[in-house]
Amino acid sequence: MPTNRCCYFFLFICYWLFAGTVVCAQTLKGRITAASGEPVMGASLFVKELKLGTAANEDGYYELKMPEGTYTCVFQCLGYETQPHTVVMGQATVTLDISLREKAYEIKEVIITDKREDPAYGIMRRAIAMAPYYMNQVSEYKADLYVKGSLHIEKISRLVKRLAKDELKNFKEGNTYVEESFNEIEFNTPNKYKQKVLKKTGSMPQQDGGGGNAMGMITISVYDPQAIEPSISPLSSSAFAHYNFRYEGFIEEDNRVINKIKIIPKHKGKQLVSGYIYIADNYWNVHSLDIKGQFPMFGDYSVQVNFGEVSENVWLPVSHRINFNGSVLGNKGEFRYTSSLRYAHITENTAIRKPDALLLAEQQRKAVQQHEAPPQILAETKSAPKSKTSQKIEKILEKENLSNREAYKLARLMQKEADAEKKKNEGLDMSESIYQEYKREVDSAANRQDTAYWAKMRPVPLMPDEVKSYQDKAAKTALVPPPSSEPKDSTRKASKPQNKFISTSKKVLWGTNIRLGKNGGMIEYRGLKPSRIGFNTVDGFFVGQELTYRKNFTKQKGNRLSVTPEAIWAINRRTVMWNVNANLTYAPLKRGNATLAFGQKSTDFNGQRGMYPFENTVASLFFRRNYMKLYEQTYVQASNNIDIANGLQLDVNVLYSKRTMLDNHSDYSFFYRDSREYSPNIPQNAELVCPLTDHTNTSFTLNLHYTPQYYYRIDHNKRKRMLKSDFPTFHIGWRKGLKDVFGSDSNYDLLYGAVIQRIETGFMQEFKYQVGGGAFVNREAVFFPDFYHFRTLEIPVTMGSVESPGFNLLEYYRYSTSDKYVMANLYYTAPFLILKYLPFFNNRALWSEGLQLGYLYTPEMKNYFELGYTIGLIWQAGVFVGFENFSYRSVGFRLSLPLGLFID
């Protein structure tokens, strides 16, 4: 969406959505009503021979262009009896008004078990299990698509009017704006789409080309567990945890039994939907969908999707209807969307084996159509040999009743088989599938059709407010005079130049970029960064600035040099701290990255796992707590990272540093001056028995990181970017202190390793773990900065995540070790766990909940366990309980705020 429209509230959230249908000569039209004569909302028409579907408008009117011939037209609506009609199309328009009778769904004879379970659960288990198969059933298709989207603006807030005055001049409260388009759609597995906009029109001001995001609806499968995110799909693996299902009967349609299932949320929450899903017996595919839900911050929506048999035993969506009523910060409006699809070519995905139960259902249906006795067992068919996964699938499908666990397992096996077939045809390089998954083209003549063409060709008649929208646009266009050819008034005063002081101040505060000629690179100044202003008891108040010089050595940015010098004035210590960091990215396909850094600065003893300087600034000035302990480091450091094979990365680091111990130089704070004393600048550690002394350290570090079957893409700069893997990442490393090298006093060897993995277990659900350990196999001379330090969060409010690998209740530095350690962190997050079931919390749609377990063993901290519960998303709050040697140790509350987004 263009940036100059960002203030439109949600006017443009969905207006760009979707597009198209087929161009024909003869017209079939009419009105679909109920027995009472009232229009049937959500009624649709499917023409079997043309594989074409469309929807009636809100007043029940439909209109479809069809070539000459005889067709079977199926009129249907959820809750009404389906009516097939044979229609003969000649040269004249055919008018066919339809009256649908409300359908009384019959109830099957069911066996009541001890569980007294509603039959809907058995149906939904098989539908969930078969969802991955139907999501991958088709390998390619071509379709014609018509889309109409209309936006009715009820109210625009004063704030938006003020901020977007010029952009909103063509939009008025109370008006409706329309966009229509015809499109050609091509799909090829695994996820490649091409869209060609053939015709487009509309009354929407500043149109971008018609149906720009039409693929957003057409390419989303209802079988995808993330299809309606952030809402939880009733076909997701977590459906039974969030929904109750009620069987409301069945109808027989085209020799298939269609079950009506009501979706009932178990609890309140904006992530849950309600409505109906219709499932075909024995096939377990979706016949139609009618749901309602809420967007987290915008409003209510309803979705109706109708499916048609577009090829033998292949059902795909043939029409969509979406209504959205939104209210955002005083802005209100309604969006209506209708689509019509005609499939021209469909190819089934033969790479995925069709389950025997589905083959039997197809054979039974065919026998009934031919007036034969349906077979009770599967007739022999030519099919590929069953894989081990297929054998497991068939074994589960043979069961008459599935449990929830078996349904989820079957769904995973189905998806595993589909993924296995995809992997046979693709390597680890996903560049093509990412960059070519959606291509859009607008025909050069797309705008050249007049209103008569659209009046003749559109399959969904316009509503009265939409007709008025076009009329208003036509009237306004007729009144607009042609552009004046007169020269501009040279006497008009030029705009007043901006004050130089204001201009310079803005650059100092917010930054600026200076380009050094055509090929000389660029100097980037990011302004006064809050992270370079602060306070600690060692340096006192400090303030610093940095510049960055960048230069690309090729047209792509894959080979680039950046040099960042920084200077910081420690006011109370009266010292200039400085450092220079030079970084070179090279060998883009191997992710080469070399760094040289040197300087003199105050450094946290905990290194990279320490607290943020801003956190220490707040704790010191406001609460008189100086948690961070620092030493002065004069250093030179060189490192290099490179892939030696796909998924196998080698990191080498060499460090020389002269370390000087420091004392506190400031006793200042805003509060608690008379009641608290700052602690000395000496870290408290269980293993430290001698005073800290100045020393010199020379060391090198060698790390290997390996992730099997690591998928990647090549970006536009020809640089490799790692994406995903189904396997964990393995880390091993060796850090050595080099005695007497450049006067080094250090002499130690640390060996360590870890295993890390993130596993998605469902929609907005994931399990993460990290397990590792290490030991100093040589510890002749290990200084405190070289200890193995853990990430700990002693302060109650932090800028870091409370889910990062670490411990929330341990003191800084106390359990850092120069001996050996074992640690583990496990995290599980989900939309609903505990508090989200309570009334106040259940409507906080974007919040997620988490459970976590941490374990630590060192010689000084034996068997420490930490249990935690968290809630939030961008911010997080958590409560934690610690146990040492299986005895209660402490409890604490932590709040994480993402302030790093604003102060860095």
Side-chain angles (χ1 to χ4, degrees):
M1 186 180 299
T3 56
N4 65 334
R5 300 177 184 174
C6 62
C7 296
Y8 282 23
F9 86 104
F10 70 96
L11 299 179
F12 308 104
I13 290 175
C14 23
Y15 120 58
W16 313 104
L17 289 181
F18 316 111
T21 192
V22 63
V23 177
C24 309
Q26 291 73 36
T27 302
L28 172 67
K29 66 179 183 177
R31 194 180 190 210
I32 305 174
T33 61
S36 63
E38 295 294 322
V40 176
M41 291 291 295
S44 64
L45 163 63
F46 177 62
V47 184
K48 288 186 175 182
E49 291 78 7
L50 296 178
K51 303 173 185 177
L52 167 63
T54 189
N57 66 16
E58 285 80 354
D59 287 336
Y61 290 101
Y62 71 93
E63 189 170 316
L64 203 58
K65 303 334 178 236
M66 300 161 60
E68 293 185 33
T70 302
Y71 303 99
T72 303
C73 299
V74 180
F75 297 87
Q76 59 187 356
C77 184
L78 304 177
Y80 291 85
E81 185 175 321
T82 299
Q83 289 192 25
H85 285 265
T86 300
V87 177
V88 179
M89 297 298 301
Q91 294 293 328
T93 296
V94 176
T95 301
L96 179 60
D97 293 330
I98 300 296
S99 177
L100 296 181
R101 295 189 299 270
E102 290 191 25
K103 176 64 178 178
Y105 280 75
E106 301 178 41
I107 302 296
K108 293 181 183 178
E109 292 184 5
V110 296
I111 299 175
I112 302 298
T113 64
D114 293 339
K115 295 181 179 180
R116 299 184 180 275
E117 183 179 68
D118 191 294
Y121 287 89
I123 297 170
M124 290 303 299
R125 288 189 188 104
R126 293 191 180 269
I128 291 171
M130 291 293 293
Y133 170 79
Y134 285 111
M135 191 167 66
N136 297 279
Q137 183 186 19
V138 174
S139 61
E140 63 180 33
Y141 69 73
K142 293 182 180 179
D144 299 314
L145 169 68
Y146 164 82
V147 167
K148 179 185 71 173
S150 62
L151 175 66
H152 176 75
I153 301 175
E154 182 178 341
K155 182 180 179 181
I156 303 175
S157 70
R158 291 183 180 179
L159 177 62
V160 171
K161 289 178 180 178
R162 186 172 301 172
L163 294 177
K165 179 172 57 177
D166 295 334
E167 292 86 351
L168 288 175
K169 62 184 179 181
N170 294 319
F171 290 90
K172 294 183 179 180
E173 295 176 337
N175 282 11
T176 297
Y177 300 92
V178 187
E179 185 177 58
E180 300 178 89
S181 64
F182 288 103
N183 302 260
E184 286 182 351
I185 305 296
E186 291 186 21
F187 164 77
N188 287 279
T189 190
N191 195 31
K192 296 180 181 178
Y193 292 89
K194 292 182 181 179
Q195 175 196 8
K196 185 175 183 179
V197 181
L198 301 177
K199 310 295 178 187
K200 57 188 177 69
T201 189
S203 60
M204 189 78 69
Q206 301 175 339
Q207 295 183 75
D208 76 330
N213 292 323
M215 309 301 290
M217 173 56 68
I218 304 308
T219 63
I220 293 178
S221 169
V222 298
Y223 299 106
D224 187 341
Q226 298 182 354
I228 56 174
E229 64 178 359
S231 299
I232 298 174
S233 169
L235 290 174
S236 71
S237 60
S238 60
F240 294 114
H242 304 294
Y243 297 108
N244 289 320
F245 298 99
R246 187 170 70 207
Y247 177 72
E248 296 201 350
F250 75 97
I251 58 173
E252 291 189 16
E253 183 178 297
D254 204 11
N255 298 304
R256 295 203 310 164
V257 172
I258 309 300
N259 299 292
K260 181 180 181 182
I261 309 295
K262 186 170 185 178
I263 305 166
I264 307 170
K266 284 187 173 182
H267 44 84
K268 292 182 179 180
K270 292 185 178 180
Q271 289 172 274
L272 304 183
V273 300
S274 61
Y276 293 91
I277 186 170
Y278 297 77
I279 305 294
D281 226 21
N282 298 324
Y283 289 79
W284 316 118
N285 69 303
V286 177
H287 171 270
S288 48
L289 183 71
D290 183 10
I291 58 174
K292 296 179 180 179
Q294 292 179 301
F295 287 118
M297 295 183 294
F298 299 121
D300 303 327
Y301 68 88
S302 63
V303 178
Q304 292 179 339
V305 184
N306 292 306
F307 287 69
E309 189 175 10
V310 297
S311 183
E312 186 177 8
N313 296 310
V314 176
W315 285 265
L316 292 177
V318 293
S319 66
H320 302 80
R321 182 186 296 275
I322 294 177
N323 289 323
F324 167 60
N325 290 287
S327 177
V328 182
L329 301 176
N331 304 284
K332 296 181 181 180
E334 178 187 6
F335 173 76
R336 299 191 302 262
Y337 155 79
T338 308
S339 78
S340 172
L341 273 158
R342 176 182 181 270
Y343 292 88
H345 168 75
I346 298 159
T347 303
E348 279 197 76
N349 188 357
T350 57
I352 302 175
R353 190 183 184 281
K354 187 174 293 186
D356 289 348
L358 187 53
L359 288 170
L360 177 59
E362 293 175 357
Q363 291 179 3
Q364 290 174 335
R365 180 177 181 234
K366 187 174 183 179
V368 172
Q369 290 173 336
Q370 297 176 353
H371 306 288
E372 299 175 355
Q376 300 303 311
I377 60 174
L378 179 66
E380 291 188 9
T381 58
K382 293 182 179 181
S383 59
K386 295 180 182 179
S387 64
K388 290 184 179 180
T389 302
S390 295
Q391 293 174 14
K392 292 178 181 178
I393 290 172
E394 299 297 349
K395 187 175 181 180
I396 297 176
L397 283 174
E398 288 173 359
K399 296 185 177 183
E400 185 174 350
N401 297 307
L402 300 181
S403 64
N404 290 354
R405 183 177 181 181
E406 288 170 332
Y408 295 153
K409 181 179 180 181
L410 187 54
R412 288 195 299 270
L413 290 172
M414 290 276 192
Q415 190 61 56
K416 180 180 179 181
E417 189 173 45
D419 291 341
E421 293 300 330
K422 290 179 182 179
K423 290 177 181 178
K424 289 180 182 179
N425 301 317
E426 65 180 17
L428 297 177
D429 186 354
M430 300 183 68
S431 304
E432 183 177 355
S433 63
I434 290 175
Y435 292 127
Q436 297 184 8
E437 66 179 3
Y438 170 49
K439 289 185 176 180
R440 179 172 178 265
E441 175 187 351
V442 179
D443 191 282
S444 58
N447 279 319
R448 296 180 184 175
Q449 302 298 331
D450 56 19
T451 55
Y453 168 86
W454 285 94
K456 180 179 179 181
M457 302 314 302
R458 65 170 57 93
V460 182
L462 298 175
M463 293 294 293
D465 61 336
E466 295 168 345
V467 173
K468 183 177 182 301
S469 177
Y470 277 113
Q471 292 173 344
D472 291 344
K473 180 180 179 181
K476 185 176 181 179
T477 302
L479 293 174
V480 175
S484 174
S485 59
E486 295 181 4
K488 294 182 179 180
D489 186 359
S490 59
T491 63
R492 183 175 296 177
K493 293 183 179 180
S495 59
K496 185 178 179 180
Q498 191 177 41
N499 184 282
K500 289 185 178 181
F501 174 78
I502 295 177
S503 176
T504 304
S505 299
K506 286 183 177 180
K507 292 180 179 180
V508 172
L509 290 173
W510 307 113
T512 187
N513 294 331
I514 302 173
R515 204 167 281 280
L516 304 178
K518 186 176 181 181
N519 299 311
M522 182 177 68
I523 295 177
E524 177 185 290
Y525 171 61
R526 294 180 59 188
L528 293 174
K529 298 172 64 176
S531 61
R532 296 299 183 269
I533 303 172
F535 174 86
N536 61 66
T537 56
V538 174
D539 300 315
F541 287 97
F542 60 86
V543 59
Q545 279 300 301
E546 67 178 26
L547 296 171
T548 298
Y549 169 76
R550 304 184 191 278
K551 179 177 174 58
N552 298 323
F553 292 96
T554 61
K555 291 183 179 180
Q556 291 79 28
K557 297 179 182 179
N559 298 307
R560 182 173 68 179
L561 172 68
S562 64
V563 181
T564 303
E566 179 186 33
I568 299 175
W569 171 240
I571 297 175
N572 293 76
R573 196 156 64 94
R574 297 184 179 181
T575 300
V576 175
M577 300 180 289
W578 62 276
N579 63 85
V580 178
N581 189 303
N583 180 267
L584 174 67
T585 59
Y586 67 99
L589 297 182
K590 292 187 176 182
R591 297 194 298 157
N593 189 79
T595 300
L596 176 64
F598 52 93
Q600 183 180 48
K601 62 181 181 179
S602 297
T603 304
D604 187 350
F605 281 101
N606 199 345
Q608 298 299 317
R609 299 184 184 91
M611 68 187 304
Y612 292 94
F614 181 77
E615 295 174 345
N616 187 71
T617 296
V618 174
S620 299
L621 293 177
F622 289 88
F623 302 98
R624 203 170 174 81
R625 303 288 193 191
N626 57 328
Y627 294 103
M628 182 181 288
K629 309 302 178 185
L630 304 167
Y631 66 95
E632 184 177 80
Q633 177 178 220
T634 304
Y635 73 101
V636 178
Q637 185 175 25
S639 63
N640 184 65
N641 309 329
I642 196 165
D643 289 349
I644 55 180
N646 185 66
L648 180 61
Q649 186 181 55
L650 172 66
D651 300 345
V652 179
N653 181 288
V654 179
L655 171 66
Y656 166 83
S657 61
K658 186 175 181 179
R659 298 161 174 169
T660 303
M661 302 302 108
L662 299 172
D663 296 321
N664 289 336
H665 287 77
S666 177
D667 191 49
Y668 183 80
S669 68
F670 296 153
F671 308 105
Y672 302 102
R673 294 186 186 182
D674 299 327
S675 58
R676 292 178 185 171
E677 292 293 335
Y678 280 124
S679 62
N681 186 45
I682 301 173
Q684 300 299 308
N685 180 264
E687 295 182 21
L688 276 179
V689 294
C690 299
L692 296 173
T693 58
D694 298 346
H695 61 275
T696 300
N697 169 73
T698 303
S699 62
F700 81 84
T701 303
L702 183 68
N703 290 311
L704 277 174
H705 315 281
Y706 177 58
T707 307
Q709 293 188 19
Y710 211 162
Y711 288 88
Y712 63 90
R713 68 177 175 88
I714 307 301
D715 66 16
H716 296 293
N717 298 315
K718 306 301 181 183
R719 188 167 183 83
K720 192 175 184 179
R721 304 292 183 185
M722 310 313 293
L723 295 177
K724 64 177 183 177
S725 174
D726 295 330
F727 296 88
T729 298
F730 301 89
H731 302 271
I732 58 172
W734 173 33
R735 177 154 55 89
K736 181 173 181 59
L738 300 171
K739 178 70 172 177
D740 297 328
V741 176
F742 300 114
S744 173
D745 301 308
S746 299
N747 186 0
Y748 64 87
D749 291 90
L750 170 63
L751 300 178
Y752 51 90
V755 180
I756 302 173
Q757 190 174 16
R758 174 181 174 271
I759 304 171
E760 292 187 3
T761 58
F763 174 66
M764 290 186 68
Q765 300 178 35
E766 67 177 20
F767 174 71
K768 298 181 292 185
Y769 69 86
Q770 174 172 320
V771 179
F776 284 83
V777 295
N778 164 30
R779 48 191 299 216
E780 183 175 331
V782 187
F783 296 93
F784 190 67
D786 301 313
F787 279 35
Y788 189 89
H789 300 278
F790 306 100
R791 184 179 182 274
T792 56
L793 291 176
E794 189 175 351
I795 58 175
V797 181
T798 176
M799 291 168 51
S801 171
V802 294
E803 291 185 358
S804 297
F807 304 94
N808 292 280
L809 299 180
L810 296 183
E811 302 91 330
Y812 293 113
Y813 312 110
R814 182 169 293 276
Y815 299 103
S816 301
T817 184
S818 62
D819 196 341
K820 52 183 174 290
Y821 71 93
V822 176
M823 65 177 294
N825 296 97
L826 292 78
Y827 310 91
Y828 174 71
T829 57
F832 292 88
L833 281 176
I834 302 173
L835 287 182
K836 286 290 290 292
Y837 287 101
L838 300 179
F840 174 77
F841 295 94
N842 55 27
N843 280 326
R844 272 59 183 176
L846 296 181
W847 292 4
S848 63
E849 297 179 88
L851 296 174
Q852 58 190 71
L853 170 66
Y855 171 79
L856 177 64
Y857 171 86
T858 71
E860 300 296 331
M861 172 58 81
K862 295 180 174 63
N863 298 318
Y864 173 74
F865 291 90
E866 190 173 281
L867 302 176
Y869 165 81
T870 61
I871 188 169
L873 191 65
I874 299 176
W875 61 268
Q876 289 178 318
V879 60
F880 303 89
V881 182
F883 300 87
E884 185 175 358
N885 275 332
F886 307 100
S887 298
Y888 169 79
R889 183 180 188 271
S890 60
V891 64
F893 173 84
R894 297 292 182 266
L895 176 63
S896 171
L897 302 175
L899 297 179
L901 299 174
F902 306 101
I903 69 171
D904 192 11

